[in-house]
Amino acid sequence: MLFETQDESEWRARIQRLRAEKGQIDWTAARLDTLCGRLTQSTTYRLSHFVPAVVPVVADGRPDN
């Protein structure tokens, strides 16, 4: 996770700032989530980055699948 807040204005400002700073984030691998808390919890805004799965490699250099 790169950033999380319950303040929508802070969320919008941070995303705008990151988009303005070219090269800070690979947006093709970014995930923007809005977690709705309904009445019991506050809504949470989250920016995260996909991490590729690690594939084990055996001694001959080929993936072990």
Side-chain angles (χ1 to χ4, degrees):
M1 177 176 37
L2 301 173
F3 175 70
E4 181 178 274
T5 185
Q6 293 179 343
D7 183 334
E8 185 177 2
S9 60
E10 180 184 11
W11 166 251
R12 291 181 184 279
R14 175 70 68 97
I15 297 299
Q16 285 178 334
R17 218 173 19 255
L18 288 170
R19 285 185 173 151
E21 298 170 3
K22 302 291 183 196
Q24 290 292 321
I25 291 180
D26 176 8
W27 291 102
T28 62
R31 179 175 170 154
L32 303 161
D33 293 308
T34 302
L35 308 172
C36 183
R38 308 258 180 208
L39 298 175
T40 58
Q41 297 176 336
S42 301
T43 298
T44 301
Y45 305 92
R46 182 181 294 167
L47 171 64
S48 53
H49 193 268
F50 289 111
V51 178
V54 177
V55 178
V57 177
V58 292
D60 64 4
R62 293 183 298 167
D64 182 30
N65 10 352

